[in-house]
Amino acid sequence: MSDLAYRSETGAAAATDGNGAGTPERLSLGVAARLSRYLQVLTQARKMGKETISSQELSDYTHVNSTQIRRDLSGFGKFGKRGVGYNVDSLVAQIRKILRTAGQHNIGLFGAGHLGTAIASSEIFADHGFRIVAVFDADADKVGAQVGNLTVRHTAELSGVVEEEDIVVAVLAVPNAAAQSLADELVDAGVKIIFNYSEALIQVPPEVTVHTSSPAVDLLYALYFYLT
Amino acid sequence: MSDLAYRSETGAAAATDGNGAGTPERLSLGVAARLSRYLQVLTQARKMGKETISSQELSDYTHVNSTQIRRDLSGFGKFGKRGVGYNVDSLVAQIRKILRTAGQHNIGLFGAGHLGTAIASSEIFADHGFRIVAVFDADADKVGAQVGNLTVRHTAELSGVVEEEDIVVAVLAVPNAAAQSLADELVDAGVKIIFNYSEALIQVPPEVTVHTSSPAVDLLYALYFYLT
DNA sequence: TAGATTGTTAATCGATTAACAATC
DNA sequence: TAGATTGTTAATCGATTAACAATC
């Protein structure tokens, strides 16, 4: 029998089988989060020239139990080879298909300070099909400067550029005080996902997702287990 | 009866009661992670002058179900006022006590580029009792420069400084290629927690914790739920 | 008082884990 | 073949949620 744990919102609804697609239901929150993490490790492993990887190695890097990893993957097909592991390239392709994030997605970056510059020069987003297509700053002195290979625009141009460039994701690397009003403008402009690197608490309508980066949270958590 | 769900590793062992401390067992991974997130939101809410906060508001900001939040907190005491919510100040103090992270902890920052500079100038860590006590760079040209209010030192000084300054946490804002060998040196020097902002996959002995920051993972995850 | 929100129960669902046959 | 690692089962544990009495 197929494992319905991976199909949310269906209760006992009939999934065609455990291996194929059938009606592709939405993944549960947990599965989607874990698959994203596997993908990140696999992407790096591939860069390092690794051709196969075992569930145990994936476990070491993601801190997810290896049985859990095999379970997560086997819900969608038999991707591994017993005694060998998983082929890195093909697993990347499979997970991208499952997450339906194989395409290109456009990012608008807000804030051309140190953090914005660091993000623009990094490959973290590019590796996963996210492309930074515009950089904005509210400071007129920064407008026109080069960041990465983009020219900084003024934040006032936001709504036109979001539409022209089909920007779905906004990355906020701005001061706390500017975050909420900028978020309001972004929502008006039609941005659906806001990735907040400021510490500000941001409120948005339900159709928009805010993710606030909180390194200190992760650190508190790690520290707790070190101290106890 | 008290809820043993919050005490791990004890099975049916006797907890003295649901409110007090008794033998303070280790928190489960999930509870510790969620408490850390509440703490981060509370810290920001306090900065914004908020005096009380409801479980529903905490839920809006953390994406944790409000019942879950009340459950998490009520496992340690009756911190809220019905009809009113939780006092922000006192809840911050309570959670810090529970997480036993009320003290000061010293951070060494590695890499004085754009990202390192951004981290050094930010308050994200300072807000939670983490103090950056030293900044290092492998580039001799950067040594001696000011970053935040610290002077950049050469990475070669690492092991001495780690001991002198009692550094428990290392934050890595260095190029991918430098990450693993730096991590090796840090482990030798006695650092227990490595917070990795590079994309490199880092291997360390079991007594050391590595946390790799993966904004792209969070973005992939958010995107999945936007696309489906 | 009336409204709001906590604290708590009970029921369900998903995650976790050990174990091991299958098989590369 | 021998060793390694997957795919899968079964059992347990923790998370999630709706519901609501208690009470500020």
Side-chain angles (χ1 to χ4, degrees):
Chain A
M1 243 192 64
S2 74
D3 187 343
L4 289 169
Y6 298 113
R7 322 271 168 157
S8 63
E9 295 163 357
T10 53
T16 49
D17 64 48
N19 298 336
T23 316
E25 314 280 350
R26 219 180 211 223
L27 304 177
S28 77
L29 297 171
V31 176
R34 290 199 298 279
L35 289 175
S36 304
R37 294 178 71 188
Y38 306 154
L39 192 52
Q40 204 257 345
V41 170
L42 290 165
T43 305
Q44 277 310 303
R46 181 161 64 170
K47 275 197 187 173
M48 291 161 55
K50 218 164 159 42
E51 295 191 352
T52 62
I53 194 165
S54 69
S55 57
Q56 186 53 54
E57 287 175 289
L58 271 172
S59 172
D60 291 341
Y61 290 122
T62 59
H63 307 290
V64 174
N65 180 284
S66 67
T67 306
Q68 175 83 348
I69 294 173
R70 295 200 301 278
R71 261 177 142 285
D72 282 341
L73 297 174
S74 71
F76 303 100
K78 307 201 179 196
F79 302 143
K81 260 203 175 59
R82 291 169 202 241
V84 178
Y86 299 88
N87 178 282
V88 174
D89 276 334
S90 89
L91 194 52
V92 164
Q94 292 288 357
I95 295 181
R96 284 202 177 143
K97 202 154 72 183
I98 296 165
L99 289 174
R100 282 178 261 176
T101 46
Q104 275 287 336
H105 304 283
N106 294 338
I107 291 183
L109 174 63
F110 293 82
H114 282 296
L115 182 56
T117 305
I119 293 169
S121 342
S122 142
E123 290 178 10
I124 27 174
F125 290 121
D127 278 343
H128 293 282
F130 296 106
R131 195 162 38 131
I132 299 176
V133 293
V135 181
F136 300 86
D137 203 291
D139 180 351
D141 290 350
K142 286 192 179 139
V143 172
Q146 288 292 117
V147 166
N149 41 19
L150 292 165
T151 303
V152 177
R153 310 184 191 221
H154 196 275
T155 309
E157 296 181 54
L158 179 164
S159 93
V161 178
V162 164
E163 195 167 347
E164 280 164 36
E165 300 278 3
D166 189 25
I167 292 175
V168 168
V169 177
V171 173
L172 267 52
V174 300
N176 293 347
Q180 180 67 59
S181 64
L182 176 55
D184 293 342
E185 289 179 64
L186 289 166
V187 169
D188 287 343
V191 167
K192 294 304 176 193
I193 298 171
I194 295 177
F195 201 93
N196 175 30
Y197 274 107
S198 88
E199 297 171 85
L201 300 176
I202 293 179
Q203 278 174 316
V204 293
E207 74 272 15
V208 178
T209 303
V210 174
H211 181 91
T212 298
S213 162
S214 323
V217 171
D218 298 312
L219 214 43
L220 279 173
Y221 175 70
L223 196 66
Y224 174 76
F225 290 100
Y226 165 64
L227 292 175
T228 55
Chain B
M1 245 192 63
S2 73
D3 187 344
L4 289 171
Y6 297 114
R7 322 271 168 155
S8 64
E9 297 164 354
T10 53
T16 50
D17 64 48
N19 299 335
T23 317
E25 313 281 350
R26 223 181 208 221
L27 305 176
S28 76
L29 296 171
V31 175
R34 290 198 300 278
L35 289 175
S36 303
R37 295 178 71 188
Y38 307 155
L39 192 52
Q40 205 257 346
V41 170
L42 290 165
T43 304
Q44 277 310 304
R46 181 161 65 169
K47 274 197 187 172
M48 291 161 57
K50 216 161 160 44
E51 295 191 351
T52 62
I53 195 165
S54 69
S55 57
Q56 186 52 55
E57 287 175 287
L58 271 173
S59 172
D60 292 341
Y61 290 122
T62 58
H63 307 290
V64 175
N65 180 283
S66 67
T67 306
Q68 175 83 347
I69 293 174
R70 296 201 298 281
R71 259 176 145 287
D72 281 341
L73 297 174
S74 71
F76 303 99
K78 306 201 179 197
F79 302 144
K81 261 203 175 55
R82 287 166 205 245
V84 178
Y86 299 88
N87 178 282
V88 174
D89 277 333
S90 89
L91 195 52
V92 165
Q94 293 288 356
I95 295 180
R96 283 198 177 146
K97 204 154 69 183
I98 297 165
L99 290 175
R100 282 178 261 174
T101 46
Q104 276 286 335
H105 303 283
N106 294 338
I107 291 182
L109 174 62
F110 294 82
H114 283 296
L115 181 57
T117 305
I119 293 169
S121 345
S122 141
E123 291 179 8
I124 27 172
F125 290 122
D127 278 343
H128 293 281
F130 296 105
R131 198 164 35 131
I132 298 174
V133 294
V135 181
F136 299 85
D137 203 290
D139 180 352
D141 291 350
K142 283 191 181 141
V143 172
Q146 288 292 119
V147 166
N149 42 22
L150 292 165
T151 304
V152 178
R153 309 182 191 224
H154 196 275
T155 309
E157 296 182 54
L158 179 164
S159 93
V161 178
V162 163
E163 194 168 349
E164 278 164 37
E165 300 279 2
D166 190 25
I167 293 176
V168 170
V169 178
V171 173
L172 267 50
V174 299
N176 294 347
Q180 180 67 60
S181 65
L182 177 54
D184 293 341
E185 289 180 61
L186 288 166
V187 168
D188 286 342
V191 166
K192 293 305 178 193
I193 299 171
I194 296 177
F195 201 93
N196 175 30
Y197 275 107
S198 88
E199 297 170 83
L201 300 176
I202 294 179
Q203 278 175 318
V204 293
E207 74 273 15
V208 178
T209 303
V210 174
H211 180 92
T212 298
S213 164
S214 324
V217 172
D218 298 313
L219 214 43
L220 279 173
Y221 176 69
L223 195 67
Y224 173 76
F225 289 99
Y226 164 65
L227 292 175
T228 54

